Amino acid sequence: MASSAKTPALDKPNPAEDWTVVLPRRGKQKRNFHKVIIHERQKQEQLWTPADIETNPERESKLMQKIQTCIRKLESSSFWLKFLDQLQTPEIFDRFLKAVGSEGKMQMVIYGIGSIESYEPPRLQLSLAILMKRMFSWIGEVEVFDPVISLAESKVLTALGCSVLTVNEQGRRQALRPTMFFMPHCDAELYENLLEENWRHDLLSNMTLFGNSFEAYEEHVSECKILRLADSRKHIIAIRQFVKELPIDSRKHIVAIRQFVKERSIDPFSDDLFRAFHGSSWHFFDIDPHSDLCDAKP
């Protein structure tokens, strides 16, 4: 794969073209008298190019070395071995096979990875995704997006075999084919957008999600009893009855993380591995075609 991502430049907005007013046809003016206003700037804001466009071969090489080192450390850790063991249990692996179905491949979409150049937790999250891709032949193409990605990061991600999106989907990707959404520690808004965009049994059934615990969101909303908070998590709460959630933070994973810390004499309170994955769960959406999602819809 090429070592650079194509990122088309944005045209400068023309102030005179910021707003387009579409008037109703004459024959329909009595029935449709409201002006339909289309904000052209909204379309332009969906396109994305890196804000940080400073790069050079030395910077890219240093970042690649950081990531390769991170991959090796993770691959040799007890955490990865325990994570892999869990993935290959019938409870999880059979669900993956069912989701892949006749397609044979499941694409991976990584949202909200953060800066892989600046911080270790994002590098660990990316390393986990790469190791999964290497381990399982049924994982297909990998697409990545975070608005903070720099040009140097974009080039390195491409060199690692990932495609960097040039459109900020804001989580609104329809799962028209089997898709694993890899979203550890994303904002709740992204999960909400993703669920809202896929609120049909056929789309939800194509989805597998690795990210924050929906059960934890529901418990938090229940404890706080704040209407505004509940409204901002309404799809997450509504989908709970249709989701099989399997946390990775079981006792054996916590032991594995602590062992990883001990092996490298790292302060457990500042352990990057723990910060990268704690509170994460697998979410499988096994939706009965006869289920009435309208009854569950918030």
Side-chain angles (χ1 to χ4, degrees), residues 77-94 96 128 132 135-136 246-248 250 252-253 256 282:
S77 72
S78 52
F79 172 82
W80 164 247
L81 295 178
K82 295 297 183 183
F83 182 86
L84 192 58
D85 283 345
Q86 186 191 33
L87 277 185
Q88 296 181 99
T89 60
E91 187 176 23
I92 288 185
F93 197 72
D94 289 352
F96 274 122
L128 186 67
M132 289 175 59
M135 180 61 62
F136 300 109
L246 297 168
I248 69 162
S250 62
K252 64 181 180 180
H253 282 89
W282 287 106

Side-chain angles (χ1 to χ4, degrees), residues 8 32 51 73 99 136 152 164:
N32 185 14
K73 285 182 178 180
F136 300 109
V164 180

Side-chain angles (χ1 to χ4, degrees), residues 172-175 191-205 207 214 233-243 285 287 291-298:
R172 296 189 178 278
R173 164 79 69 95
Q174 283 197 337
Y191 300 115
E192 274 291 308
N193 289 351
L194 181 65
L195 291 172
E196 183 178 26
E197 194 69 22
N198 289 277
W199 204 260
R200 285 179 8 208
H201 69 80
D202 57 324
L203 298 177
L204 288 168
S205 295
M207 287 174 47
F214 286 4
R233 308 286 191 272
K234 56 188 178 182
H235 289 87
I236 294 174
I237 307 306
I239 201 62
R240 283 276 295 131
Q241 62 182 296
F242 299 107
V243 172
F285 303 82
I287 313 295
S291 298
D292 191 353
L293 285 173
C294 293
D295 289 343
K297 189 168 183 177

Side-chain angles (χ1 to χ4, degrees), residues 97-249:
L97 293 181
K98 182 178 180 181
V100 171
S102 60
E103 290 280 338
K105 292 282 186 180
M106 172 179 281
Q107 67 175 339
M108 181 188 290
V109 177
I110 303 175
Y111 285 139
I113 191 68
S115 174
I116 58 174
E117 185 175 23
S118 302
Y119 304 105
E120 188 72 0
R123 286 194 289 272
L124 284 164
Q125 292 169 358
L126 177 65
S127 296
L128 186 67
I130 289 173
L131 286 174
M132 289 175 59
K133 163 73 173 172
R134 292 177 180 177
M135 180 61 62
F136 300 109
S137 60
W138 47 265
I139 296 181
E141 61 187 21
V142 179
E143 296 179 310
V144 184
F145 184 80
D146 193 299
V148 305
I149 290 175
S150 66
L151 181 58
E153 290 170 325
S154 178
K155 288 189 173 185
V156 170
L157 284 165
T158 304
L160 287 165
C162 304
S163 299
V164 180
L165 298 175
T166 56
V167 174
N168 185 353
E169 299 175 336
Q170 299 180 25
R172 296 189 178 278
R173 164 79 69 95
Q174 283 197 337
L176 300 175
R177 55 192 174 114
T179 306
M180 179 194 301
F181 291 96
F182 189 89
M183 303 170 62
H185 297 178
C186 283
D187 291 338
E189 181 182 0
L190 277 181
Y191 300 115
E192 274 291 308
N193 289 351
L194 181 65
L195 291 172
E196 183 178 26
E197 194 69 22
N198 289 277
W199 204 260
R200 285 179 8 208
H201 69 80
D202 57 324
L203 298 177
L204 288 168
S205 295
N206 278 335
M207 287 174 47
T208 299
L209 188 147
F210 179 70
N212 297 351
S213 168
F214 286 4
E215 181 180 4
Y217 278 126
E218 185 178 43
E219 290 175 355
H220 181 60
V221 168
S222 178
E223 291 171 2
C224 291
K225 302 187 187 310
I226 300 174
L227 184 60
R228 185 174 59 182
L229 179 64
D231 187 62
S232 68
R233 308 286 191 272
K234 56 188 178 182
H235 289 87
I236 294 174
I237 307 306
I239 201 62
R240 283 276 295 131
Q241 62 182 296
F242 299 107
V243 172
K244 177 65 175 178
E245 179 173 333
L246 297 168
I248 69 162
D249 282 354

